[in-house]
Amino acid sequence: MKKESGIKMFFRTTYQTGSPIPYILSIQVLLFVLIHIADLLVELNVIKFPLYDWLVGQLSLPNTFAAFIRQPWSLITYPFLYVGLFNIVFDCLWLYWIGNSFLNFLNKRQFLFVFFSSFLLSGVVYLALGNIDFLAKGSMPFLFSNAMGLASVVAGLLLLAPNMEIRLFLFGTVKFRTIAIIFFTLQLLFYIFANRSGAVAYGFAIAWGFLFMQQLKNGNDWSTIFSIKPKQKLKIVHQTPKTPSYRSYKADLPNQEVIDDILDKISQSGYESLSSREKEILFKVSREEQE
């Protein structure tokens, strides 16, 4: 049997899992590398044009509609733009961890809806506040990074599984709600000092994540507006409903079919429709993925 090369194994295990997270991270890292190559070319006097500053200005979201009209693509590009190494490393690690935790409970469509809709809505809020002098003041008159998407995902996960426990290297086992509150507080403090209208937009992103998850728990899945269902002829089928068998594949965890049934039930009827046994199963699966 021919041994698989390291590069092929990397691409298979990274991009063929069905998760959208590696693709999002790859775009962020690639854009970060490209703009810093541009900065290096300017520093070495290879080119005279301030390409780095121009790229950052064109890809970040300005704080007024007047400037936005000249670069409307920035509403889509600003979430992927990073200029600081620490910032992109932290956010990539955070997105990888939080995003995969979110996908342990819900599906890819729901994750993408929360993540990207928060960028668009928060971006519009940010632009609308640009004409208010008090909010427009700050050291950073533009918006970039995926902070808005992360805020919505964290808020949704916080409402769905606030008691989920996370093992931290230095602090031991900590409840997820504690980590989320600290994360929100630090980000809001940063925006308050650097970008006041950005702070309001960030608060809106948090509220949007809570609202989406609350509606999902009530049985209203807003992400289904992006699902295309083929028309089917009406059929009357008499079928005896089957009760899922909770067969274990690892410790006392159920098989994948049972997990999929539970996730479908959340999408159709909301989180509160789950029985205590089904909620316990989701919690155990999440704990197992974190270990």
Side-chain angles (χ1 to χ4, degrees), residues 104-164:
N104 285 336
F105 293 98
L106 302 176
N107 59 42
K108 178 173 64 175
R109 186 192 67 243
Q110 292 161 334
F111 169 80
L112 290 173
F113 177 82
V114 175
F115 192 70
F116 286 105
S117 64
S118 65
F119 291 138
L120 298 176
L121 295 175
S122 298
V124 172
V125 170
Y126 177 74
L127 290 170
L129 298 174
N131 293 323
I132 303 176
D133 291 337
F134 173 75
L135 294 176
K137 292 180 180 178
S139 60
M140 191 174 67
F142 46 80
L143 197 64
F144 61 88
S145 86
N146 67 13
M148 304 302 166
L150 275 172
S152 289
V153 173
V154 172
L157 189 59
L158 176 60
L159 189 61
L160 180 63
N163 294 320
M164 181 174 64

Side-chain angles (χ1 to χ4, degrees), residues 42-102:
V42 174
E43 290 292 329
L44 295 176
N45 290 320
V46 176
I47 57 176
K48 300 297 182 181
F49 181 75
L51 184 58
Y52 172 83
D53 295 332
W54 182 82
L55 286 172
V56 171
Q58 291 293 311
L59 298 177
S60 58
L61 184 67
N63 63 350
T64 62
F65 273 109
F68 169 71
I69 291 174
R70 295 192 294 269
Q71 51 184 82
W73 56 83
S74 60
L75 188 61
I76 299 174
T77 58
Y78 87 89
F80 302 102
L81 178 65
Y82 282 87
V83 296
L85 179 60
F86 175 79
N87 191 206
I88 189 174
V89 169
F90 178 82
D91 278 9
C92 283
L93 292 174
W94 186 252
L95 175 59
Y96 181 81
W97 171 50
I98 291 298
N100 283 303
S101 297
F102 188 97

Side-chain angles (χ1 to χ4, degrees), residues 176-188:
F176 177 69
R177 64 166 173 258
T178 303
I179 299 174
I181 291 171
I182 294 173
F183 173 74
F184 288 147
T185 302
L186 292 176
Q187 287 280 18
L188 279 172

